[in-house]
Amino acid sequence: MDEFASRHYPVREDMRFQRRSWMVERAGWLLLASIAGLGLTGVFGMGPLSVAQAGSGPLTVRYDRFQRATRTVEFVFTVAPSASTEIALHLNPAFQRDFEVVSVSPGSLRGRLGDAGYDMAFARRAGAESRIVIWARPRHYGLSRLAAATGDAAPAKFWVFVYP
Amino acid sequence: MDSVIKAAVVFFALWAIVRITGRRTLGEMTAFDFVLFLIIGGSTQRAITGQDYSLTNALLLVATFVSLDIGLSLAVVKWPAARHILNAMPMILVDNGDMLTGRMRRARVTEDNILEAARRLHGLERIDQIKFAILEATGEITIVPAATGSRAVPAPAP
């Protein structure tokens, strides 16, 4: 008798279904291994494919394009040197809607929250490059389209996807 | 609402993962498998509860998990076709003393696994003393011994 033929005693087998189950199992193993492999690349956050940079000229922002709900992440803003002793950083309303700011370094001189988003002012040393770090936690899952600007320069636009 | 949805997602995701790992893991759990299941439990627990350690949340989660479990058991009773999908199905691995090696390989069951079950359940020593070895839906291996008269002579001492 063929090894893979269904037998009916002492148990009733359905080897056709069993073969399909094995195929699904193998596909499932591949899927699980793929998820683990993709995890290493940073597609689910915290990896090489996740680290991104947006903007150029007066303002650049380094961030994680893939983030996870409840995990605090950092946005690093680098402001090019200028003669001014103050930096005015503007974050669009989506930032306010989609993220809860946990901490800002260095501390801001002033801050204003309005319909147009966050406006913050920071002290700076004239002629030196400045770095501002904002730690924030996503408020919900999904895609966020963010923008940051300093002064009158064109904003640095970027997107962030938050996994559940 | 969030808790119930999270619990349901985790329940079905874990069910799918356990189902595709195959019965081998469930029935013949090694020490490492046990540790693995502890880790899975610990990893998912925080994702489900989040920051909410309230009694209400705990009751919601337990109610969701138990309801889903009962729902699946009712589905198995009501729709026999669902039984195979949800619980797998029994499969013969030894037929009248012959090992069905192709099936064993695919089910990741070794001769040692079958002999272990034979020793534990019936004190049998060799494959030819087994009439049927069956990999049950639960992942356990059950043994039907060959009739006493048809048993081969005991293996000689080395």
Side-chain angles (χ1 to χ4, degrees):
Chain A
M1 187 177 185
D2 176 18
E3 182 175 344
F4 289 100
S6 295
R7 288 157 168 79
H8 302 293
Y9 182 84
V11 290
R12 183 170 286 277
E13 295 179 326
D14 182 349
M15 289 308 291
R16 202 161 150 244
F17 180 85
Q18 184 59 64
R19 279 170 179 253
R20 277 195 216 141
S21 295
W22 281 327
M23 281 172 62
V24 172
E25 262 182 40
R26 269 53 173 178
W29 298 351
L30 201 64
L31 178 70
L32 290 178
S34 306
I35 290 172
L38 286 172
L40 289 174
T41 66
V43 166
F44 301 115
M46 299 168 68
L49 289 184
S50 182
V51 177
Q53 187 164 310
S56 59
L59 178 73
T60 57
V61 51
R62 206 180 73 236
Y63 62 100
D64 271 320
R65 64 164 67 94
F66 300 113
Q67 303 183 2
R68 301 172 199 167
T70 74
R71 184 173 169 271
T72 302
V73 289
E74 64 176 22
F75 295 87
V76 181
F77 300 90
T78 305
V79 185
S82 82
S84 164
T85 55
E86 201 172 297
I87 299 168
L89 181 68
H90 172 77
L91 302 173
N92 70 340
F95 201 95
Q96 175 193 340
R97 187 185 64 231
D98 300 341
F99 287 86
E100 176 192 354
V101 174
V102 176
S103 177
V104 180
S105 174
S108 60
L109 297 173
R110 293 182 300 279
R112 197 184 66 196
L113 195 60
D115 293 341
Y118 281 121
D119 282 299
M120 288 177 272
F122 299 89
R124 73 180 298 173
R125 196 155 49 87
E129 186 180 84
S130 303
R131 215 168 74 109
I132 299 162
V133 183
I134 296 179
W135 285 274
R137 191 180 300 133
R139 290 184 200 273
H140 46 75
Y141 326 136
L143 189 70
S144 291
R145 295 187 184 281
L146 307 175
T150 178
D152 296 328
K157 292 183 177 173
F158 55 104
W159 59 265
V160 162
F161 183 80
V162 181
Y163 287 100
Chain B
M1 187 183 86
D2 198 32
S3 299
V4 175
I5 294 170
K6 273 187 190 173
V9 169
V10 168
F11 181 90
F12 285 110
L14 285 185
W15 173 82
I17 288 172
V18 170
R19 188 75 176 80
I20 62 175
T21 46
R23 284 172 288 185
R24 167 79 181 77
T25 317
L26 291 176
E28 306 291 320
M29 195 179 281
T30 63
F32 181 74
D33 294 332
F34 179 68
V35 172
L36 187 69
F37 275 81
L38 283 182
I39 292 170
I40 291 172
S43 310
T44 49
Q45 182 261 328
R46 285 183 67 100
I48 300 168
T49 54
Q51 308 287 323
D52 187 351
Y53 301 119
S54 66
L55 183 64
T56 306
N57 193 38
L59 289 175
L60 266 175
L61 294 174
V62 170
T64 307
F65 280 124
V66 173
S67 302
L68 289 171
D69 194 44
I70 292 170
L72 290 188
S73 64
L74 290 175
V76 165
V77 173
K78 187 161 186 184
W79 298 290
R83 189 180 309 150
H84 295 164
I85 296 169
L86 295 172
N87 293 342
M89 55 191 303
M91 182 174 64
I92 297 166
L93 299 176
V94 174
D95 188 359
N96 283 306
D98 293 327
M99 285 194 294
L100 305 177
T101 50
R103 293 178 174 205
M104 287 167 58
R105 196 174 53 248
R106 290 198 181 196
R108 288 172 291 148
V109 173
T110 63
E111 184 178 351
D112 288 342
N113 295 139
I114 294 174
L115 284 171
E116 184 190 324
R119 283 194 302 273
R120 195 176 62 238
L121 299 172
H122 297 283
L124 305 180
E125 299 159 354
R126 298 188 311 277
I127 291 291
D128 61 13
Q129 295 172 314
I130 298 172
K131 187 173 185 190
F132 294 112
I134 301 155
L135 180 62
E136 302 290 352
T138 56
E140 287 174 311
I141 298 171
T142 54
I143 303 290
V144 178
T148 316
S150 64
R151 275 192 192 180
V153 291

